[in-house]
Amino acid sequence: MRGISIGFPGVKALSAVDFRLFPGEVHALMGENGAGKSTLIKTLTGVHTHNTGEIRLDGAQVSFTGPGQAQEAGIATVYQEVNLCANLSVAENILLGREPRRFGRIDGKATRARAAELLARIGLAIDPGSTLGSHPIAVQQLVAIARALTVDARVLVLDEPTSSLDAEEVAELFRILRVLRDDGVAILFVSHFLDQVYEISDRMTVLRNGRLVGEWRTEELDRMALVSAMIGRELGALAEVERRGERHSPGADVVLRAEGVGRAGAIAPFDLDLHAGEVVGLAGLLGSGRTELARLLFGADRADTGRLVVGGTPVRVRGPRSLIARGVAFSSEDRKADGLVADLTIRDNLVLALQAARGWARPIPRRTADALVAEFIGKLDIRPADPDAVIGTLSGGNQQKVLLARWLVTRPKVLILDEPTRGIDVGAKAQIQKVVADLAADGMAVVFISAELEEVVRVSDRVVVLRDRRVVGELRGGEVTVDAVMTRIAAHPEPTAVAG
Amino acid sequence: MSANRLLWPLAALAALIVLNVVVTPSFLELRFQDGHLFGSTVDILRNGAPTLLIALGMTLVIATRGIDLSVGAIAAIAAAVACTHIASGGDAITAMLLALGLSALLGVWNGFLVTVVGIQPIIATLVLMIAGRGLAMLLTEGQIITVSDDLYSQVGAGFLVLPIAILISLAALAGVALLTRRTALGMLIEAVGVNPEASRLAGVRSRTIVWTVYVFIAVCSGVAGLMISSNVNSADANNIGLWIEMDAILAVVIGGTSLAGGRYSLVGTLIGALVIQTLTTTVYTIGVPPNVTLVFKAVVVIAVCLLQSPRSAALLRRPARAEEVAAR
């Protein structure tokens, strides 16, 4: 692929990106969220059409107008979510749409035989006649790969294939990928797990903000360099960002303590103490378990292990209400899906949590509600300053401020903010950061999550670093620098895995 | 905004009334006799009372993103319970309390399937829509139970100047309006309907709210069943409340509450129920052959819904504006 540019209305998703893929190699495509990985893959597989540039397959220029054409040309894709029919048999899934036919009817026997052949090629010993849904997700994923092979794929694209697999299953997947690679298949691999990328890939291409950062052989690019390439900061050249005031050392009061809290497939058991008056940042790449950790602290998801202790007493977690009652508040990263009640007004959205805590029978008196709403519209500079404006019509930054206010009116002791500044303009961002600092100064414990390391470093007194769904370290006081956080994120698992 | 949304249903209602006056000039006439009001419009109110009552519950259910198809079956069960009890010598009050108690229980069952088991409301209530008729048949042993009890026949056929049935429905409407708008219930119901996950994370007891709403509509259906059966002094398990779920859902939709949940309008539902009932009456008075009445109804409903949709509103707006200017 040469000089690929793609534009969507209002956005330029990719600009002049070159990408090479050789037969018999595993090539990792790396980049942070929004870097353009998915867009590039979708261009390659014919989902999107490129505006400029060209795609050459075996030297011949090709142009796909749909996924079907790309498949016929030998480019097969396995997506993150298994896109198969759980109610059909393994064989039917593998050959769906390409079943061997006899007298115009599907030849069941031949279908099973062909499927068995393909399963044998990837060394998967399951009965082709069994129902797909009866197998674990990992096996289904492998079946999806077997399906990709039916087209005699010369290019196999794997988008986040390991996100729902455990270590053994990943090993099995990698074994199969190596077999395919040695057969001369070109494999494009996307994953957020650095360890896996280093284990399997031969070559890497890094994208950032829709542009090509570079292409390296895997052994030439160490983890540190990879992380800097992805994040876009040169090590050492990082100016230490300005900070308001001193970093607090944690006080004596533990407001919330997590003891061995964990959830299979989401985050490994961790311990965490939150002290009154401190801001704890959670740093890590996308998919490192930041959000999962935060959701467990709030009871939004159920923990498999461990317990939460708030203000000295253990909490029996039966859902978010259990923690809300103890003064814990959580603002989710997905504003639209988990935060806004889009059709309701600023007033209704702002008092929702407080009203929910009071119960339906004790409405907040209109005058009190109006006073609260007016107070926070002023304090947080929410625009428009009209309590009756429907929240869905506000800008992202103002919506975020209303959601922040929704919790502030409940006067929480612990405030968990997951990506409170994502997708909002610089001015609103600075306002929210200032509010966080002020709240901590008033004695609130704040958990602050952001994909932007500079931001985490700027607002946090203490930073907990996550990688590959586990807590891998903690930095406090003077140690909190972008360099230090990046070093932890990029560190090999052996020396630091025990540090968490 | 909300006044605007009610414009088309009101226009439809007015058009239907005009059509009726043209066909039957005495349509709007009211006679006062023996302390009762008589007239076609009073009949419409009386016959529309059960639909209005169920549509009221349906408004709240739909606001939580749900739907209840079992209302007709619950009405039939309530009627069957009340009539069998009276026919076997019981008094009317006990009979009605028994019927409403069972209705509430059926609502608990629907709510359980929706909130605890997590079945989609349309499927969860379909269960009782089908099975409920069977249960009613079981109670009446397949017979049409006729009763003669003065107190019982008051519910559907009695008058206190206006028909008692419509007074009950209007009182329920006023009660619900007060309850949901004076407390936080209305806002919480809307929040759950618009975004269930955001509401859960904000600490709203969404399960309790949704469950309560299903119990409420079941009780409404029970009362509606009593009205229908008391009006004819009998319980016919096959026909009481037949297709009333459709009328109730249509009333809610015509009233401007979106099936996607969220903002709801009780006044809209009132107008919607009146449109539906006037339409039914109109079909009879203008002499549409009975075998095509459902088609006729469908045409009117589609017209109203299309007129309300944002896209057709945009289409209509341009010429409408020009007219407004010309009128000034």
Side-chain angles (χ1 to χ4, degrees), chain A residues 298 300 321 336-337 340 355 360, chain B residues 184 195 197-198 200-201 203 205:
Chain A
F298 182 63
R321 286 183 64 85
K336 264 215 178 72
L340 297 179
Q355 183 62 66
W360 66 268
Chain B
N195 192 336
E197 181 60 12
R200 183 180 81 96
L201 291 179
R205 285 181 198 271

Side-chain angles (χ1 to χ4, degrees), chain B residues 241-260:
Chain B
L242 192 62
W243 305 127
I244 203 167
E245 56 281 337
M246 294 305 154
D247 280 354
I249 292 167
L250 287 175
V252 174
V253 172
I254 290 174
T257 300
S258 160
L259 281 177

Side-chain angles (χ1 to χ4, degrees), chain A residues 286-447:
Chain A
L286 191 87
S288 59
R290 306 180 304 224
T291 296
E292 290 78 0
L293 190 157
R295 288 179 66 90
L296 288 182
L297 289 184
F298 182 63
D301 295 325
R302 214 159 275 247
D304 302 330
T305 58
R307 62 172 192 166
L308 292 175
V309 181
V310 182
T313 41
V315 184
R316 206 168 143 236
V317 182
R318 310 181 61 184
R321 286 183 64 85
S322 312
L323 284 137
I324 292 171
R326 309 292 185 93
V328 182
F330 169 70
S331 166
S332 149
E333 71 175 328
D334 193 340
R335 207 160 43 223
K336 264 215 178 72
D338 303 336
L340 297 179
V341 183
D343 295 347
L344 298 189
T345 59
I346 292 182
R347 178 193 293 108
D348 287 348
N349 270 281
L350 205 150
V351 301
L352 184 64
L354 185 62
Q355 183 62 66
R358 290 168 65 106
W360 66 268
R362 291 199 304 136
I364 301 164
R366 181 64 176 229
R367 200 177 294 170
T368 318
D370 283 345
L372 276 175
V373 173
E375 179 192 338
F376 279 94
I377 284 179
K379 236 187 217 171
L380 301 180
D381 188 26
I382 294 168
R383 288 175 205 187
D386 171 12
D388 292 312
V390 173
I391 196 167
T393 63
L394 269 58
S395 74
N398 283 300
Q399 291 176 344
Q400 191 63 50
K401 289 186 211 165
V402 175
L403 294 183
L404 189 57
R406 173 189 289 175
W407 289 112
L408 296 184
V409 296
T410 66
R411 310 207 173 282
K413 296 195 200 77
V414 180
L415 180 60
I416 304 166
L417 299 172
D418 192 357
E419 295 274 9
T421 60
R422 179 195 280 178
I424 69 179
D425 63 81
V426 182
K429 209 169 201 167
Q431 283 173 329
I432 286 178
Q433 290 171 4
K434 174 152 185 353
V435 170
V436 167
D438 293 348
L439 291 170
D442 286 348
M444 198 181 285
V446 183
V447 175

Side-chain angles (χ1 to χ4, degrees), chain A residues 120-174:
Chain A
R121 186 169 164 204
I122 62 168
L124 191 60
I126 56 171
D127 176 10
S130 56
T131 314
L132 183 74
S134 65
H135 297 290
I137 296 289
V139 173
Q140 297 188 22
Q141 196 104 47
L142 297 177
V143 169
I145 292 175
R147 173 176 165 76
L149 297 178
T150 56
V151 289
D152 282 324
R154 280 167 303 162
V155 179
L156 179 60
V157 179
L158 299 157
D159 190 1
E160 290 275 355
T162 57
S163 55
S164 46
L165 308 188
D166 68 26
E168 262 174 55
E169 293 164 342
V170 169
E172 176 68 10
L173 173 70
F174 283 2

Side-chain angles (χ1 to χ4, degrees), chain A residues 211-285:
Chain A
R211 292 175 185 282
L212 178 71
V213 179
E215 186 206 85
W216 294 270
R217 293 198 59 78
T218 302
E219 64 264 23
E220 288 166 0
L221 186 70
D222 64 21
R223 284 158 178 267
M224 208 57 208
L226 172 63
V227 173
S228 2
M230 285 165 66
I231 298 178
R233 296 280 161 179
E234 282 299 323
L235 272 179
L238 279 173
E240 181 56 28
V241 272
E242 149 200 36
R243 235 196 92 77
R244 271 180 216 92
E246 274 296 286
R247 283 179 208 283
H248 307 268
S249 49
D253 304 354
V254 176
V255 216
L256 188 151
R257 160 174 291 164
E259 296 171 353
V261 174
R263 181 179 159 93
I267 185 154
F270 62 91
D271 295 326
L272 183 66
D273 283 358
L274 298 179
H275 305 264
E278 71 168 345
V279 180
V280 176
L282 298 186
L285 297 176

